Amino acid sequence: MSRNLRKIYTVSELTSEIKSLLEESFPFVWISGEISNLSTPVSGHYYFTLKDENAHIRAVMFRGQNRKLKFMLEDGLSIIGLGRINLYAPRGTYQIIFEYIEPKGIGALQLAFEKLKIRLSEEGLFDDKYKTPLPFLPNKICVITSPTGAVIHDIIDIINRRFYNISIEIIPVKVQGDGAIPEIVSAFDIVNKLAESDGSAEVVILARGGGSIEDLAAFNSEEVARAVFASKIPVVSAIGHETDYTISDFVADLRAPTPSAAAELVVPLKNELKNRCDEMFKNLIARIYNNIERLNSILKEMNTRLVDPRKNIQDFRLRIDDYINRLLKSIYNVINRWRDQLMWMTKSLYATSPYKHIDNLSVTLKRLNYNLLSYIDIYIQNRRSITIVLASRLNDLSPVAILDRGYSITRTIPDAVVVRDPKIVNLGQDLEVMLSKGSLICRVEGKS
Amino acid sequence: MAKISFEKSLKQLEEIVQEIESGNLPLEKAMKKFEEGVKLSKYCSEKLDETEKKISVLLHDNNGDITEEPFMPENEAKND
Amino acid sequence: MAKISFEKSLKQLEEIVQEIESGNLPLEKAMKKFEEGVKLSKYCSEKLDETEKKISVLLHDNNGDITEEPFMPENEAKND
Amino acid sequence: MAKISFEKSLKQLEEIVQEIESGNLPLEKAMKKFEEGVKLSKYCSEKLDETEKKISVLLHDNNGDITEEPFMPENEAKND
Amino acid sequence: MAKISFEKSLKQLEEIVQEIESGNLPLEKAMKKFEEGVKLSKYCSEKLDETEKKISVLLHDNNGDITEEPFMPENEAKND
Amino acid sequence: MAKISFEKSLKQLEEIVQEIESGNLPLEKAMKKFEEGVKLSKYCSEKLDETEKKISVLLHDNNGDITEEPFMPENEAKND
Amino acid sequence: MAKISFEKSLKQLEEIVQEIESGNLPLEKAMKKFEEGVKLSKYCSEKLDETEKKISVLLHDNNGDITEEPFMPENEAKND
């Protein structure tokens, strides 16, 4: 065998092909069998094995579908179900995923219901994308239902209770029996026709009380389903009891379990709204004031932190004062230092004053003075003593000295010629006779 | 604003409240939002009391004409 | 200064506060900054007062007797 | 001298103080420096007075919040 | 003599003192030097007084605050 | 004689003293020399007085605040 | 005789004394010489007195300081 001819699958590839084959061949199958090994994990999905005498098949019903069950699954129960074949690649197992299960032995009506449901579902009438959200607060509510009976009263009561001033428009229809389907369809026509006009209803409640599957037949009709689907105004279905499901329920924009519930779903509690509004308004005010408060406190903080430079100024002032003090101290230091030096110098100068000089010179001068006087005195004394000696010697030689011994000297007058010889004198001539103690004037009387 | 639904208004109002609450808006913007919020709040309040209660029954004849009658307890009797 | 938003003013004020707090500014500059800061603070304060007053007015106008005056908040605002 | 910044003046003053304190200056120079120092000190003082006055005016004019509490009581005492 | 700096005068004074101390001067010259010395000493003293007065005036003129309290009591005592 | 320096005068005086001391001079000459010596001595003495007085004045004028009291009573006495 | 100097007079006096002492002179001559000698001696004496007086006057006139102390007590005694 050529290698080229050999097709080799990976496990995934093979599994993937088998999965396609299986799932495309059996998109939906009706299958009957007996439940065994039923388990319900926390997830809420049902896992079980469906078996007959010869074969087993794994089966799952997911939680979403479980709610539609009108009975409890249990081991040993024979069922008929609608499901898809699914291959779970990671484990290589296949199983059937049930969309719908009913006990085996259900009637033809139910079968027709299921068939229609599948058809419409496949057509997309149940698709979420077609479901219109309900108005939050409708101006007017249209109720399509029987004008008699508890349903309408319940609805009105509840609406009144919840939101007194909402208008209600009732389109009375037959809800079972002949003519019910056309009336309901026509009611939708009317509502939608009026939809363009002012004050029209903004939501429709299609309601009916509980009943058998036969009683609910109109709501399982294709006509009504299509009327509901066609309605531009959102439709809330409230048909039968909580466990009753009709085709209309699937098509409706919202299914309410009961008519009362429908009223509750459609109409909000006015008080609640009012409270919410008030609350919101209060919050609004509180928040804006909070904002302002917050900003105010930030601003206040900023204000306290915005430090006045005056504190700095204080510091600066102290510094300047210090500088001035130091300036003064130092300049006075400079001055005092110089003054000290000057004083010292001046003291030195005074110490060297010429007073000392003067004193010295004074002494010298005094000495010289003394000497001058002493020497002149000595000089004069000297001269005087010489003079005195000479005078004394002269005195000793005085010719008059002999007179003391009694001699006398006779002299002529006035020639003062000493008379030694009488011949030189004449008689009568006057002569002077010198004596020791004076002299005599004598006249010559005679000669010898 | 008149065309805005109550729900939208309420939602807007809620958003505004949250926005303001977040504290991330500048004052001027917050103030503007607040103003808007006040209007919305007023609008919502008014909206709640706007409509007048009326319960009517719509009837249609074979010609397709629609008539409106007040809903009365007798209607029940009539339809029976 | 009138054109500056509150937040910007507050931010500027904060920056100024930090600058002054850093303590590195010369006297003249610090003084200038302080002056600026005081003005900004005043501006912010006024802005807040203004806003509060505005809120007061808004609440008084809108929230008092709501039903008395016809509701057209947009229009009223527009006519202001 | 009016163009010199306060800090520069203060710095100069400090330098002068240190120069004179160093004791190495001749009398005339020391005296000249001293004179300069006194002028600088005066200049600085005036600058501070001016600034303080400016602050006073600013606070008085602009911001009730800031001046609410008596600011720097020491300063006020000084100014008396 | 007014143009001679204090320091120069003091130096001259010192020189004169040394010259006189050397003792070799005739009376007249010594006297002359002494006279000069006295004048220099006086000049220096006046210069210092002048400087002190100048400081006083400077302080008085420029800084009222400082002169309020008796400044440098030692110096005042000296001037008495 | 006024032009002769003190030292010269003193020297002359000394010479005169020596001349007189030598005793070789005639009386008139000695007398004349003596007279001269007296004058020189007087001159020197006056010179010293003068110098002393001058110092006194100098010291009085320059040193301290002596000038308040009447100036140099010795001089005034001389001038009478 | 006034023109003759003290020294010449003293010399003449001495010569006269010697002439007379020689004893060779006749009486008249001796007497004459003696007379002359007496005159000379007197002249010299007077001259000395005169000089002393002159000194006294000089000292008195010129030099207070010198005469302060009693001048030459020996001389004063002589002059008495």
Side-chain angles (χ1 to χ4, degrees), chain A residues 73-136:
Chain A
L73 294 186
E74 53 190 72
D75 282 350
L77 197 66
S78 284
I79 54 107
I80 294 173
L82 179 66
R84 303 181 276 117
I85 296 296
N86 163 270
L87 190 142
Y88 184 55
R91 288 213 186 138
T93 59
Y94 70 94
Q95 57 227 318
I96 183 159
I97 298 173
F98 280 106
E99 296 282 323
Y100 173 76
I101 295 177
E102 64 182 31
K104 200 174 177 182
I106 199 159
L109 209 51
Q110 184 67 42
L111 211 61
F113 167 82
E114 295 301 342
K115 278 181 179 165
L116 179 61
K117 186 181 167 197
I118 288 168
R119 189 152 56 83
L120 293 182
S121 170
E122 282 173 350
E123 219 177 294
L125 261 64
F126 302 167
D127 285 3
D128 281 349
K129 64 181 174 188
Y130 296 120
K131 301 205 185 296
T132 317
L134 303 189
F136 183 74

Side-chain angles (χ1 to χ4, degrees), chain A residues 324-325 328-329 331-332 335-336 338-339 341-342 345-346 348-350 352-354 357-358 361, chain E residues 6-7 10 20-21 25 34 37-38 41 44-45 48-49 52 55 59 63 66 71-72 75 78:
Chain A
I324 290 174
N325 282 340
L328 275 175
K329 208 168 184 179
I331 193 73
Y332 276 118
I335 290 175
N336 287 338
W338 286 121
R339 203 181 276 290
Q341 215 162 323
L342 174 63
M345 214 63 90
T346 305
S348 296
L349 177 70
Y350 288 169
T352 62
S353 84
H357 240 82
I358 289 171
L361 293 173
Chain E
F6 176 84
E7 276 76 16
L10 202 64
I20 298 178
E21 273 175 348
L25 296 179
F34 178 73
V38 168
S41 153
C44 287
S45 189
L48 287 177
D49 288 350
E52 251 173 30
I55 291 169
L59 292 182
N63 207 322
I66 297 176
F71 197 87
M72 294 258 166
N75 280 346
K78 218 170 199 173

Side-chain angles (χ1 to χ4, degrees), chain F:
Chain F
M1 198 186 253
K3 301 279 176 184
I4 302 169
S5 80
F6 178 88
E7 272 74 13
K8 212 167 183 181
S9 302
L10 205 65
K11 182 140 203 179
Q12 282 181 6
L13 177 56
E14 194 158 13
E15 282 166 8
I16 284 170
V17 168
Q18 282 168 1
E19 273 186 287
I20 295 176
E21 188 181 13
S22 75
N24 295 326
L25 294 177
L27 181 65
E28 281 86 356
K29 197 148 198 184
M31 191 51 206
K32 214 172 166 183
K33 287 280 172 188
F34 174 75
E35 201 172 341
E36 211 179 310
V38 168
K39 277 182 192 162
L40 280 168
S41 158
K42 190 195 167 197
Y43 173 71
C44 286
S45 189
E46 282 174 357
K47 199 93 183 168
L48 287 180
D49 285 352
E50 219 174 78
T51 305
E52 214 171 6
K53 205 164 286 171
K54 214 166 172 181
I55 292 169
S56 199
V57 170
L58 263 178
L59 296 184
H60 271 285
D61 276 4
N62 287 311
N63 197 16
D65 314 292
I66 298 172
T67 45
E68 269 176 18
E69 38 188 312
F71 192 81
M72 290 281 157
E74 317 90 277
N75 278 351
E76 287 187 334
K78 216 172 198 172
N79 291 340
D80 278 355

Side-chain angles (χ1 to χ4, degrees), chain A residues 137-145 150-170 201 203-207 236 259-271, chain B residues 51-55:
Chain A
L137 177 60
N139 279 327
K140 189 190 265 184
I141 295 151
C142 177
V143 185
I144 298 175
T145 192
V151 168
I152 186 67
H153 281 285
D154 287 351
I155 290 173
I156 288 172
D157 277 355
I158 287 171
I159 290 176
N160 278 349
R161 238 186 1 250
R162 289 177 74 85
F163 205 119
Y164 178 76
N165 54 338
I166 283 185
S167 292
I168 304 167
E169 175 179 277
I170 300 159
V203 65
V204 174
I205 296 173
L206 178 60
V236 177
S260 303
E264 280 171 9
L265 286 171
V266 164
V267 178
L269 277 170
K270 185 177 179 178
N271 274 349
Chain B
T51 49
E52 215 174 297
K53 174 72 176 178
K54 194 174 135 196
I55 304 178

Side-chain angles (χ1 to χ4, degrees), chain D residues 32-75:
Chain D
K32 213 169 163 186
K33 287 276 171 193
F34 173 76
E35 203 170 340
E36 215 180 308
V38 169
K39 275 183 194 159
L40 281 168
S41 104
K42 190 196 167 195
Y43 174 71
C44 286
S45 273
E46 284 174 356
K47 202 92 185 165
L48 290 180
D49 288 351
E50 223 173 74
T51 306
E52 219 168 34
K53 197 166 288 172
K54 218 163 166 186
I55 291 168
S56 254
V57 171
L58 253 181
L59 294 182
H60 198 73
D61 283 3
N62 281 313
N63 206 321
D65 288 349
I66 297 177
T67 48
E68 260 174 22
E69 37 193 317
F71 200 89
M72 292 260 167
E74 317 90 275
N75 278 350

Side-chain angles (χ1 to χ4, degrees), chain G residues 12-71:
Chain G
Q12 282 180 7
L13 178 55
E14 194 167 8
E15 282 168 7
I16 284 170
V17 168
Q18 283 169 358
E19 262 187 293
I20 298 175
E21 276 177 343
S22 73
N24 295 328
L25 290 178
L27 179 66
E28 284 89 349
K29 199 147 196 186
M31 276 199 50
K32 212 177 171 180
K33 285 282 176 188
F34 177 78
E35 220 165 281
E36 212 178 312
V38 168
K39 273 180 192 163
L40 279 168
S41 148
K42 197 185 168 195
Y43 175 70
C44 283
S45 221
E46 281 171 0
K47 201 83 181 173
L48 286 175
D49 287 348
E50 215 175 86
T51 303
E52 257 177 13
K53 196 169 285 172
K54 215 171 176 177
I55 288 168
S56 217
V57 171
L58 252 181
L59 293 181
H60 195 75
D61 282 1
N62 283 314
N63 207 320
D65 290 346
I66 297 175
T67 50
E68 263 175 17
E69 37 191 314
F71 188 77

Side-chain angles (χ1 to χ4, degrees), chain A residues 166-184:
Chain A
I166 283 185
S167 292
I168 304 167
E169 175 179 277
I170 300 159
I171 302 182
V173 292
K174 288 172 83 172
V175 292
Q176 74 181 82
D178 292 343
I181 292 173
E183 278 194 21
I184 293 169

